[in-house]
Amino acid sequence: MSFISEMWGFLKQRKKWWLFPIIVVLLFLGVFLVLGGASAAAPFIYSLF
């Protein structure tokens, strides 16, 4: 959790708000790939990439 608070402090202090959507999309893709790798839908997800 310290990483999240440190990242939030960085974004707030440096006014790098444009990084926030990029971070959210990368986190979503990471969760999508991890969850998709352990399910029956894995072959369909891997065909997208």
Side-chain angles (χ1 to χ4, degrees):
M1 293 305 272
S2 66
F3 175 75
I4 295 171
S5 63
E6 189 173 331
M7 182 61 78
W8 179 253
F10 171 78
L11 292 175
K12 195 168 143 183
Q13 184 178 14
R14 305 263 194 249
K15 302 203 183 340
K16 302 277 185 190
W17 299 114
W18 56 272
L19 284 174
F20 187 71
I22 296 170
I23 293 169
V24 169
V25 168
L26 287 175
L27 285 174
F28 175 73
L29 283 175
V31 168
F32 183 69
L33 288 174
V34 167
L35 293 178
S39 71
F44 302 109
I45 293 172
Y46 289 132
S47 66
L48 293 175
F49 298 104

